[in-house]
Amino acid sequence: MKKARSPFHIMVKPRGPICNLACEYCYYLPKKKLYPDSDFRMTSELLANFTQQMIAAQPGSQVTFSWQGGEPTLMGLDFFEEAIQLQKKFAPRSMRVTNTMQTNGTILNPAWCRFFKANNFLIGLSLDGPSSIHNTYRYNKIGQGTFDYVMRAARLLKQHNVDFNILCCVHQANINHPLEVYQFLRDKVGARFIQFIPIIQRELDEESQETQSITKLSIEGAAYGEFLKIIFDEWVRHDVGRVFVQLFDVALGVYVSRPSSLCVFTETCGWALVLEHNGDLYSCDHFVNPENRLGNITQTPLVNIIDSEKQNQFGMNKQDKLSQTCLDCDVRFICNGGCPKNRDESGLNLLCEGYRSFFRYINQPMRMMADLLWQKRAPAEIMQLIKLKNNK
């Protein structure tokens, strides 16, 4: 089998949009309308087919299987044990195979955690802050908050030494409480890797699957910029080299001349696709709709779909459809216009004001950290030098 032109990433949704929760800002639950007669379960045959194609098509010596949903743990532990066996069967000894899973954590137990540890899974655990904040939008089918279940999951993951990140969505319930949220995740949860994911939610026309107006729980760009600034000040004073905030790490990487590791900030996109439970492949997690369905891997080889002209054009549109404001912006070298899903009709990102404000705010400390990294300074030494600089 031929290899893909470039490394690619696929978010696999073995149960599609099926979830045991009813989070108010979830954009994926409505995708059930795309498959009205489905049982939303990936078969063993499809799992084997995908695993073999995924490994064979990779142009490099490593491959990552990323399990998402909906809620992927609803497939049951047996499914993922089978997935590991298939990876061992099809992967050559020279290939490094890793697995990640994004989960709401509500049904994790010791058996799941032992499995994660034994197979080196990296877990993304969704938690939006303290109880009063988290439970505002993250609740189950009967309206009960899920905070206690997620905290139990975090304790179990730590007890079993499972590597995990916290995925914190930023919305109207926590946008005005940045320090409270950050300190809670750092001190009460013990998180060392944190992602802050801005929520821009649009009303969805269920018939056409087209997005409409922005909902009230969404955040505005200016507020997001202030949210990030306050957390950055706390992080740069106390936590450099100790707590890793994805957005800060990505920005620092750009300052040391590395390409962005976060797809929303790359110049073009199209290398992070979605595989639905039935084998349908889509351009992106936020563009799972009929227009962006690329094909089915049981009918067309995975590598041909990934390298198709349709997907290539999808990726190039990110760069080609930038607004003039973006093209003239002094921080475009970091954000590249942000994710296309958050752009208005002119091509301007709805978070633009916040990105511009935040990236200008961190310019000096980032340049300083980049210079220190070029000098091969240790994180503790970098933090001390930054503190001295800030106190002057």
Side-chain angles (χ1 to χ4, degrees):
M1 180 184 288
K2 72 174 184 177
K3 306 289 186 180
R5 292 194 305 261
S6 300
F8 62 92
H9 181 78
I10 293 181
M11 290 168 273
V12 190
K13 297 179 182 280
R15 283 230 68 188
I18 301 303
C19 188
N20 58 330
L21 304 188
C23 301
E24 196 166 335
Y25 53 68
C26 182
Y27 61 91
Y28 213 77
L29 289 176
K31 302 306 177 184
K32 286 186 285 188
K33 297 285 185 180
L34 294 172
Y35 301 99
D37 301 317
S38 177
D39 63 356
F40 294 101
R41 291 192 69 89
M42 181 176 284
T43 64
S44 293
E45 292 75 20
L46 179 57
L47 176 62
N49 186 339
F50 166 67
T51 304
Q52 186 174 20
Q53 290 197 57
M54 181 72 171
I55 290 170
Q58 289 294 333
S61 60
Q62 67 178 56
V63 60
T64 297
F65 289 85
S66 298
W67 308 98
Q68 298 197 7
E71 176 49 42
T73 58
L74 294 178
M75 285 299 294
L77 191 51
D78 289 350
F79 175 86
F80 291 99
E81 290 173 337
E82 182 180 5
I84 293 298
Q85 292 307 311
L86 288 167
Q87 292 168 17
K88 292 177 179 177
K89 174 181 178 180
F90 292 120
R93 290 187 178 182
S94 59
M95 176 167 278
R96 181 171 178 260
V97 181
T98 57
N99 286 268
T100 69
M101 180 185 290
Q102 184 174 331
T103 177
N104 60 44
T106 57
I107 62 175
L108 294 190
N109 58 29
W112 275 105
C113 292
R114 287 192 293 269
F115 170 80
F116 292 149
K117 180 61 178 177
N119 295 285
N120 299 311
F121 269 62
L122 172 63
I123 303 301
L125 182 66
S126 295
L127 178 60
D128 290 354
S131 176
S132 60
I133 290 174
H134 176 90
N135 286 341
T136 303
Y137 299 129
R138 296 192 66 84
Y139 40 77
N140 61 22
K141 302 292 188 184
I142 58 174
Q144 295 175 330
T146 60
F147 176 82
D148 292 339
Y149 297 100
V150 182
M151 290 299 289
R152 182 192 64 185
R155 289 193 295 271
L156 282 170
L157 291 168
K158 286 194 288 186
Q159 288 170 10
H160 289 83
N161 296 312
V162 177
D163 291 333
F164 71 98
N165 299 342
I166 292 295
L167 280 62
C168 176
C169 290
V170 184
H171 40 65
Q172 283 300 322
N174 58 14
I175 187 67
N176 295 318
H177 306 280
L179 205 54
E180 179 184 357
V181 169
Y182 178 72
Q183 290 177 341
F184 170 79
L185 296 177
R186 181 191 65 191
D187 301 335
K188 301 298 183 182
V189 181
R192 293 295 172 260
F193 297 88
I194 305 171
Q195 299 177 32
F196 291 109
I197 304 168
I199 295 297
I200 300 290
Q201 184 192 52
R202 302 174 193 258
E203 298 286 355
L204 185 71
D205 184 296
E206 294 191 357
E207 190 71 29
S208 66
Q209 291 289 301
E210 293 294 325
T211 54
Q212 310 293 324
S213 59
I214 303 298
T215 65
K216 292 182 179 179
L217 61 78
S218 303
I219 60 173
E220 295 181 351
Y224 185 51
E226 293 304 309
F227 179 93
L228 293 174
K229 286 179 189 177
I230 291 170
I231 292 176
F232 181 82
D233 283 344
E234 175 75 2
W235 174 80
V236 86
R237 291 189 182 108
H238 304 290
D239 298 322
V240 174
R242 188 169 74 96
V243 177
F244 300 88
V245 178
Q246 183 189 50
L247 185 60
F248 305 164
D249 287 349
V250 168
L252 182 57
V254 174
Y255 274 92
V256 294
S257 302
R258 294 175 185 164
S260 177
S261 58
L262 188 59
C263 67
V264 298
F265 293 147
T266 54
E267 286 189 67
T268 61
C269 56
W271 298 106
L273 302 92
V274 163
L275 184 76
E276 258 293 344
H277 66 289
N278 69 334
D280 284 350
L281 200 66
Y282 291 87
S283 294
C284 169
D285 191 38
H286 292 282
F287 291 86
V288 175
N289 52 45
E291 180 184 351
N292 291 105
R293 180 183 176 276
L294 300 169
N296 190 291
I297 66 166
T298 65
Q299 300 163 359
T300 307
L302 173 64
V303 68
N304 291 355
I305 300 176
I306 290 169
D307 286 342
S308 66
E309 181 55 35
K310 182 175 181 179
Q311 183 62 0
N312 181 60
Q313 188 58 56
F314 172 84
M316 293 303 298
N317 283 343
K318 179 179 182 181
Q319 178 176 255
D320 295 343
K321 295 185 177 181
L322 283 176
S323 69
Q324 192 60 46
T325 301
C326 279
L327 293 172
D328 296 336
C329 183
D330 59 319
V331 300
R332 180 164 64 93
F333 75 101
I334 302 179
C335 80
N336 285 299
C339 183
K341 79 178 178 67
N342 292 332
R343 294 180 184 175
D344 63 20
E345 293 180 356
S346 74
L348 185 66
N349 198 294
L350 296 171
L351 296 171
C352 175
E353 186 176 354
Y355 284 146
R356 190 168 56 241
S357 173
F358 174 67
F359 289 131
R360 286 174 178 169
Y361 184 77
I362 67 172
N363 182 60
Q364 183 177 350
M366 280 293 171
R367 290 189 183 282
M368 182 178 177
M369 280 190 278
D371 288 343
L372 292 169
L373 284 173
W374 283 119
Q375 298 169 30
K376 299 187 184 239
R377 304 274 190 144
E381 189 177 7
I382 292 172
M383 186 166 63
Q384 185 60 34
L385 288 167
I386 291 170
K387 284 180 182 177
L388 290 173
K389 180 78 171 176
N390 287 343
N391 288 335
K392 288 183 180 179

